[in-house]
Amino acid sequence: MARSEVVVDLGALRHNVSLLAALAPASETMAVVKADGYGHGAVEVARAALESGATWLGSCSTQEALALRAAGIRAPILAWLDAPDEDLAAGIAADVDLSVASLTDLRRVEQAAEEADARPRIHLKIDTGLSRNGCQPHDWPELVEQARKHEVVAIWSHLACADEIGHPSVDLQAKRFDDAYEVAKAHGLDPKRHIANSAALLTRPDLHFDMVRPGIAIYGLNPVPTDHDLRPVMSYRSYVALTKRIPAGESVSYGMTWTAQEDTTLALVPAGYADGVPRVLSGRMEVLLDGKRRPVAGRVCMDQIVVDCGNDEVREGAEVVLFGDGRRGEPTATEWAELTGTIDYEIVCGMYRPRVRRIYT
């Protein structure tokens, strides 16, 4: 038995991708599988997504895209953020589409294309207000003009506040994106357009354009307060390694921050902050054990947590669910995020750990 396991429900993922693709029936669907599929496993997620309605894949880097190619995946892939020394020629040779956000990017792609002796497929990225990667509007006409001799598959951008329904920046970015598209057309291009992330896919059908790029939503985590039937894909479980009875007045874990008010049974679980359990959850987290939510007593340690089971008898080897889809009453990744002041993206991405076994159902 592994110390702890991340369980990835590919059936739930297929359900989510099918649902999301159906919400944008006139658009292609790019399943974003960067960062090892948000911690779920990029290759397995990619295959399931392509079986369920996705037609494209999105990766952060060419290296990530090449890993998908090495696994035999032939669907179109866009890679959008590479280090300056990335081997773009290998990506071009493997039919990976590359994002270009500046003339410097374009020169690097051109040089790589010569090395690969192949024509590059590029997506021009316009900065519409996020102010991260992307071409500034005043440099856009020159970039479009210089890119004309290549195969410009699409223009694209990314939204800053689509997860805040009604935020005025979304309309502003949409206007800037439309302006960039008109410039591209004026220079003789006829590119696809894509700007809609998960939140915009769910709330802004006017921004679906030719392709949508769901990321977090395919993993069943909803970035906006809608009632779409998204199903969390990842759960995290361990087991009871030891039980003991302690008398009232005894304390638990480092710093003795928790003291038993009455005689109680403790269950030791071999998962700690080295295994993805945030130490900041100390004194605030619960787990599901034998069908009940039970509090964790004391501080989260590097290798273990201790669960207060009161007067219940629990057996060594019993399953402990640290988070799941919530249908059995267990905590969820979103609950962990809210308790720790972060987002559920960070929780699931952080679950790929050397001591945590990942399995698929």
Side-chain angles (χ1 to χ4, degrees):
M1 181 182 291
R3 297 175 61 89
S4 56
E5 293 179 333
V6 159
V7 183
V8 178
D9 183 351
L10 293 178
L13 187 131
R14 290 187 181 95
H15 164 85
N16 297 333
V17 172
S18 296
L19 183 154
L20 294 164
L23 291 176
S27 307
E28 296 187 77
T29 298
M30 177 187 293
V32 179
V33 297
K34 64 178 181 174
D36 198 28
Y38 288 47
H40 295 70
V43 170
E44 293 81 359
V45 165
R47 287 175 176 154
L50 291 169
E51 293 167 358
S52 311
T55 51
W56 282 71
L57 299 172
S59 64
C60 177
S61 66
T62 298
Q63 185 178 26
E64 289 182 342
L66 289 173
L68 297 172
R69 287 285 186 253
I73 295 171
R74 304 313 308 167
I77 305 173
L78 172 63
W80 54 68
L81 183 61
D82 284 303
D85 60 350
E86 186 68 58
D87 185 3
L88 300 183
I92 293 170
D95 294 324
V96 174
D97 288 26
L98 300 175
S99 177
V100 169
S102 68
L103 289 175
T104 301
D105 281 353
L106 185 61
R107 300 296 173 250
R108 289 178 56 221
V109 169
E110 289 173 339
Q111 181 178 350
E114 290 182 9
E115 296 172 13
D117 192 24
R119 189 182 186 196
R121 290 167 46 91
I122 62 177
H123 296 227
L124 299 178
K125 187 173 187 183
I126 176 71
D127 181 4
T128 55
L130 186 60
S131 297
R132 297 191 316 187
N133 194 25
C135 182
Q136 282 286 286
H138 56 77
D139 295 324
W140 181 250
E142 184 178 6
L143 178 60
V144 170
E145 176 62 30
Q146 293 293 318
R148 286 179 57 195
K149 57 181 172 289
H150 304 293
E151 184 178 357
V152 178
V153 177
I155 69 165
W156 73 295
S157 192
H158 196 50
L159 297 166
C161 301
D163 56 345
E164 300 179 42
I165 297 175
H167 197 284
S169 69
V170 179
D171 286 336
L172 174 61
Q173 287 193 258
K175 173 63 168 58
R176 291 173 173 174
F177 188 60
D178 187 61
D179 291 344
Y181 178 59
E182 293 301 323
V183 170
K185 289 200 301 181
H187 282 76
L189 298 180
D190 184 25
K192 297 178 185 291
R193 291 172 290 170
H194 52 98
I195 192 173
N197 55 7
S198 291
L201 192 165
L202 293 168
T203 64
R204 291 293 300 261
D206 58 313
L207 300 183
H208 289 175
F209 297 124
D210 303 292
M211 183 153 57
V212 291
R213 301 191 311 267
I216 196 65
I218 74 173
Y219 305 100
L221 303 175
N222 195 336
V224 288
T226 65
D227 59 357
H228 291 91
D229 181 28
L230 296 173
R231 301 175 185 174
V233 173
M234 179 185 290
S235 59
Y236 181 38
R237 68 188 184 190
S238 187
Y239 62 94
V240 175
L242 177 146
T243 64
K244 64 173 62 176
R245 190 81 177 160
I246 65 167
E250 289 295 314
S251 299
V252 174
S253 197
Y254 292 123
M256 294 185 170
T257 59
W258 185 93
T259 300
Q261 300 303 303
E262 55 187 26
D263 296 356
T264 193
T265 297
L266 300 178
L268 183 69
V269 180
Y273 57 77
D275 310 289
V277 184
R279 189 174 181 273
V280 72
L281 283 178
S282 299
R284 294 190 281 176
M285 71 177 292
E286 297 179 330
V287 300
L288 186 73
L289 199 173
D290 282 347
K292 290 184 181 180
R293 280 183 69 132
R294 305 176 191 272
V296 170
R299 289 181 179 163
V300 174
C301 304
M302 183 183 293
D303 311 307
Q304 54 203 288
I305 56 175
V306 179
V307 181
D308 178 17
C309 299
N311 292 318
D312 292 343
E313 292 186 11
V314 295
R315 62 178 179 83
E316 295 179 1
E319 181 185 73
V320 178
V321 180
L322 287 89
F323 70 73
D325 61 17
R327 287 185 293 178
R328 293 181 291 168
E330 74 272 30
T332 63
T334 301
E335 181 178 327
W336 274 26
E338 291 170 350
L339 288 171
T340 57
T342 186
I343 54 176
D344 44 23
Y345 302 58
E346 182 178 359
I347 298 299
V348 294
C349 285
M351 293 312 304
Y352 185 54
R353 306 277 178 142
R355 297 196 307 197
V356 180
R357 178 168 64 185
R358 187 164 59 196
I359 63 174
Y360 296 90
T361 63

